[in-house]
Amino acid sequence: FLADVVGLGKTYISALLAQQLPGRKLVICPPVLQAYWKETFVQFGVGAVWVESIGKLDHILERLRANPNLADIVFIDEAHRFRNERTQSFTKLHDICQNRKVVLVSATPLNNRISDIESQLKLFQTPRKSDIPGVRNLDAFFKELNKELEQEERGTPEYAAAFKHVAGQVRSKILHFVMVRRTRNE
């Protein structure tokens, strides 16, 4: 995850990262940002880049099925849009990401529930064979955390305390290993 706050240049950081990673790059972003991503990657000398609209997942899948070598690394801007793994869009994106390196770009990877993070992790981690140190089984890890939250009623001080504890567990045991997030102060 590249999760710097709004306005800190996640696109530039992505381009710098892309410079360092060998292979063909695919950028999936909102249609209004396609030209910006292309221009930024060109400015940073990143070759072999394919930039496609977030709304063209079927088209991307079709092209990748015809030629799997079109992309080795997938950058997903506005990745928080894929926080619900029960949607067709998530399933399509998951298929696109299979066997590729994935960089999720979002200022807001966690919106409402810890399952937001869990779903996005599944775009680049195998749920029961994670390579995150100390958390081999993501499904079991998140199931335990959700069980802790379900014991409290939403909107109560007890729920707030439980959520704070759960968020700390996610931060220290998962995000510490897979996320870069900088704030304006940093």
Side-chain angles (χ1 to χ4, degrees), residues 52-65:
E52 194 65 71
S53 167
I54 223 163
K56 301 283 186 177
L57 299 178
D58 287 322
H59 173 71
I60 296 168
L61 268 173
E62 195 175 294
R63 286 192 64 192
L64 288 173
R65 285 183 181 135

Side-chain angles (χ1 to χ4, degrees), residues 45-165:
V46 178
V49 65
W50 167 24
V51 179
E52 194 65 71
S53 167
I54 223 163
K56 301 283 186 177
L57 299 178
D58 287 322
H59 173 71
I60 296 168
L61 268 173
E62 195 175 294
R63 286 192 64 192
L64 288 173
R65 285 183 181 135
N67 184 356
N69 296 324
L70 285 176
D72 302 301
I73 303 158
V74 182
F75 289 83
I76 304 163
D77 191 15
E78 301 287 328
H80 59 271
R81 293 181 183 204
F82 300 96
R83 65 184 178 266
N84 184 348
E85 62 189 281
R86 291 181 209 98
T87 66
Q88 288 181 348
S89 294
F90 180 91
T91 301
K92 291 172 188 176
L93 185 62
H94 186 267
D95 290 347
I96 290 166
C97 293
Q98 286 296 304
N99 302 313
R100 293 181 172 83
K101 292 182 182 193
V102 178
V103 178
L104 302 177
V105 180
S106 174
T108 56
L110 174 65
N111 287 318
N112 299 313
R113 304 184 185 329
I114 61 166
S115 61
D116 296 351
I117 296 290
E118 180 183 12
S119 293
Q120 291 170 82
L121 284 166
K122 290 178 180 178
L123 293 171
F124 65 93
Q125 291 286 325
T126 304
R128 293 193 175 128
K129 293 181 182 177
S130 160
D131 61 7
I132 297 172
V135 183
R136 183 93 171 126
N137 188 329
L138 290 169
D139 287 338
F141 176 79
F142 280 97
K143 184 177 181 179
E144 284 300 312
L145 295 179
N146 279 313
K147 196 183 300 183
E148 185 177 331
L149 287 174
E150 289 168 1
Q151 292 175 3
E152 306 298 339
E153 185 180 336
R154 280 183 167 260
T156 64
E158 293 80 13
Y159 182 85
F163 190 86
K164 185 176 181 178
H165 175 260

Side-chain angles (χ1 to χ4, degrees), residues 3-72:
D4 292 350
V5 299
V6 174
L8 289 188
K10 288 179 291 298
T11 308
Y12 291 134
I13 298 298
S14 295
L16 287 167
L17 181 58
Q19 284 179 333
Q20 306 302 311
L21 297 171
R24 295 176 177 262
K25 286 82 175 175
L26 165 61
V27 175
I28 302 173
C29 64
V32 70
L33 296 176
Q34 281 182 267
Y36 177 64
W37 274 91
K38 284 178 190 174
E39 291 166 15
T40 302
F41 272 47
V42 167
Q43 287 174 354
F44 281 79
V46 178
V49 65
W50 167 24
V51 179
E52 194 65 71
S53 167
I54 223 163
K56 301 283 186 177
L57 299 178
D58 287 322
H59 173 71
I60 296 168
L61 268 173
E62 195 175 294
R63 286 192 64 192
L64 288 173
R65 285 183 181 135
N67 184 356
N69 296 324
L70 285 176
D72 302 301

